[in-house]
Amino acid sequence: MKLKQLAAMALTATLAAGVASAELVIPDLSYRTGPYAAGGTPFSDGYQDYFNMLNARDGGIGGESIRIVECETGYNTEKGVECYEATKGEGALIYQPLSTGITYQLIPKATADGIPLHTMGYGRTSAANGEVFNWVFNYPANYWDAASVMVNYLLEENGGDLSGKKIALIYHNSAYGKEPIRTLEELSAMHGFEFTQLAVDHPGQEQKSQWLQIRRERPDYVLMWGWGVMNQVAVQEAANIGFPMENFIGNWWAGAEHDVTPAGAAANGYKSLNMNRIDANLPVFDDIRTLVHDAGNAAGDGSNMGSVLYTRGMYAAMLAAEAIAKAQEIHGVSAVTPAMVRDGMEALEITDARMEELGMARVGPAFSVSCQNHGGSGLGIVQQWDASAGNWVALTDYIAPDMSVIQPLVAEDSAAFAAEAGIEPGCL
C-alpha cells in the first residue's frame, strides 16, 4: 500500500477518534510549589473552578464537556516545556503558560504544532502583532501597556509634567522583569524623567542592597516588576527604609493580597496596577460556590475565591471559554480543534453586556481582537492597599497606554523576530 494511502487512513482514524472523544481538553500549567506558589495557586484555582462550573451548569461549552489536565511546572521553564510536551498530545486546545520564560520557549513549539497560546498580560509583548505571531495572544493588555499606564497615571498625579522627577524600576532579573525597560526608557526620553534600574535575582529574597541604593538616591517613585516572594520582601524593605508607600507602584503581578499582608500595617498605601477588577459579590462566584465548591470539586481549599489572582484565573478561563464558543460558532461544530480555537480567539469580542450576562460585570475592560491586534485594549487600573480594611481599593477607572510609543516598539520587535525566524507576516 502506498505511503500516501497509509497516511490518509491514519488521518481518518485520528479524526474519527477525536470526534468520538468529544471532549474539550484544557491544560493548566500550574505551580503550586516553590517560591512562586502563592501567586500560581490562586490563579489555577480560579482557572479550574470556572471550567468546572461550566461543566456543572452548562454541560461544558456548546454541549462538549471540558477536561482539565493540570501539570506542575514550579515556575521552572524547563519543567514548563516538559509539561507542554506531555500534555499536547491529549488534544490540548489552548495553553496559558503563566510564565514569561515558559512562554518564550513555547512560542516556536506551539506555532509549529498549531496550538494557540494565551499569555494574558505577560510573555512576549510584541506578540500583540498577530500578523507575525499568528498563534500567540496576549489580550487584554501587555507589559509595555502596563509601563505606559503607570507613567500616564503619574503624569495625571503631577499635572502632566514629570520632567526632573526620578523614577526607579526594581525588577525580577529574568525575561519577565526586563520586559518594560525599553518602554520606560522611551517614556523617560519623552517626558524628561530620570530613569534607573535595579535588578533582583531569583527568587527575590535578597534585596537589601537595592533598597539601600533607593534610600541613597531618593527617587520620587519606585515601580516594581516582581513576582512571588520578591514582592513581599520589596514591600517590607520599602517600609524598613521609610519609602512612601503611595509612591511605590507594582505592576499587575505585584498587586495581590499575599504581596502586602506579610508587612501588616506597614504596607498601607502601596499601589499596583490591575488588569481585572475585584468584586467578591459577583454572581459568578455564587455559581462556583454552589456548583463546584459545595459539590466537592474545587481545585483548591476555597479560601482564594474573590482574591485578585483567583479572579484573574477565572477571568482567563472565561476568555478561553468565550473563544472556544466563538470557534464553535464560526466553524459550525462543537468538537473544535486547536486551529479552530485560534480562529475563535482572533474573532473574540468581549463587551460589557456579555460580561454582565456571565455574572462578572466589569471584571475586565471591553475589547476586541483581530489579526493585526492580538493584544486587546491595553487598559489597566491603579489600585491601593488599605491595610486596616484588608482589601484593595480601585483609585482609577481604566487608563489607556500611549500607543504612539507602544505601537512602534511592537512593530520593531515583531519585525526583528519575523526576520530571525524566517516568517512572512500575514493573516492566516
Side-chain angles (χ1 to χ4, degrees):
M1 187 177 291
K2 293 181 178 180
L3 288 175
K4 285 186 178 180
Q5 289 175 303
L6 286 169
M9 290 176 65
L11 177 60
T12 301
T14 299
L15 290 173
V19 172
S21 66
E23 185 175 62
L24 305 173
V25 178
I26 310 289
D28 177 21
L29 302 192
S30 64
Y31 39 95
R32 300 178 180 275
T33 62
Y36 304 99
T41 298
F43 187 99
S44 285
D45 286 354
Y47 197 64
Q48 293 190 33
D49 283 355
Y50 186 79
F51 287 127
N52 285 330
M53 183 271 292
L54 291 182
N55 275 338
R57 188 187 69 189
D58 305 333
I61 305 170
E64 303 290 348
S65 64
I66 304 160
R67 179 164 67 90
I68 300 163
V69 181
E70 183 171 4
C71 188
E72 171 69 33
T73 72
Y75 197 73
N76 176 278
T77 297
E78 183 178 346
K79 288 182 180 178
V81 173
E82 290 173 359
C83 279
Y84 171 82
E85 296 293 349
T87 58
K88 69 180 184 180
E90 297 202 36
L93 295 177
I94 179 175
Y95 279 91
Q96 179 82 238
L98 201 58
S99 157
T100 294
I102 296 173
T103 295
Y104 268 71
Q105 293 301 310
L106 292 189
I107 286 173
K109 292 178 177 291
T111 298
D113 293 333
I115 305 174
L117 299 178
H118 182 201
T119 65
M120 186 176 81
Y122 63 90
R124 184 165 190 146
T125 297
S126 63
N129 182 355
E131 293 193 72
V132 172
F133 297 91
N134 297 138
W135 294 87
V136 189
F137 300 79
N138 52 16
Y139 53 71
N142 59 58
Y143 288 142
W144 298 351
D145 293 329
S148 181
V149 166
M150 283 177 164
V151 171
N152 282 349
Y153 170 72
L154 293 179
L155 282 166
E156 182 67 25
E157 291 290 289
N158 288 274
D161 185 9
L162 288 174
S163 57
K165 297 290 186 183
K166 293 182 179 180
I167 299 179
L169 171 71
I170 187 164
Y171 66 94
H172 193 277
N173 195 13
S174 64
Y176 154 59
K178 295 173 184 177
E179 275 285 322
I181 292 174
R182 176 72 189 283
T183 306
L184 289 169
E185 288 173 338
E186 293 286 328
L187 291 169
S188 170
M190 174 182 286
H191 296 294
F193 61 83
E194 181 183 329
F195 175 54
T196 58
Q197 307 162 34
L198 299 98
V200 174
D201 290 333
H202 161 86
Q205 291 170 311
E206 298 299 326
Q207 297 183 40
K208 287 195 178 297
S209 63
Q210 290 88 343
W211 286 97
L212 287 174
Q213 183 176 340
I214 288 170
R215 186 170 68 179
R216 286 194 306 271
E217 297 182 359
R218 301 173 62 86
D220 296 286
Y221 299 97
V222 173
L223 311 182
M224 179 162 68
W225 245 254
W227 188 227
V229 69
M230 173 183 166
N231 297 339
Q232 300 172 8
V233 173
V235 170
Q236 186 61 62
E237 291 290 353
N240 291 346
I241 68 165
F243 188 81
M245 282 296 168
E246 64 273 16
N247 293 343
F248 187 15
I249 309 173
N251 74 352
W252 42 57
W253 300 111
E257 293 81 2
H258 63 268
D259 295 325
V260 286
T261 50
N268 188 61
Y270 170 74
K271 296 175 182 176
S272 81
L273 297 190
N274 204 336
M275 71 178 79
N276 56 274
R277 292 185 179 276
I278 314 162
D279 182 355
N281 297 315
L282 290 170
V284 68
F285 290 135
D286 293 332
D287 286 346
I288 291 174
R289 187 175 293 106
T290 301
L291 299 172
V292 180
H293 289 206
D294 291 351
N297 294 322
D301 62 8
S303 63
N304 291 313
M305 182 181 284
S307 68
V308 170
L309 291 175
Y310 182 98
T311 301
R312 191 169 303 160
M314 178 192 70
Y315 178 46
M318 179 272 278
L319 294 176
E322 291 296 290
I324 291 169
K326 175 60 73 173
Q328 293 171 331
E329 175 190 329
I330 291 170
H331 292 282
V333 296
S334 57
V336 290
T337 65
M340 293 176 183
V341 173
R342 193 215 74 88
D343 294 344
M345 295 173 77
E346 198 166 84
L348 189 64
E349 182 176 7
I350 300 296
T351 65
D352 291 333
R354 180 56 179 158
M355 284 188 285
E356 188 162 1
E357 288 175 8
L358 294 169
M360 51 178 76
R362 302 182 73 234
V363 160
F367 69 93
S368 60
V369 189
S370 68
C371 166
Q372 293 74 24
N373 176 18
H374 281 194
S377 64
L379 303 179
I381 67 170
V382 176
Q383 62 184 15
Q384 187 170 38
W385 181 247
D386 182 338
S388 60
N391 59 29
W392 292 98
V393 178
L395 297 181
T396 70
D397 201 344
Y398 284 103
I399 299 171
D402 186 343
M403 294 310 295
S404 71
V405 174
I406 304 301
Q407 198 54 50
L409 293 176
V410 168
E412 177 188 333
D413 191 73
S414 58
F417 178 86
E420 180 182 333
I423 294 171
E424 184 66 36
C427 300
L428 290 185

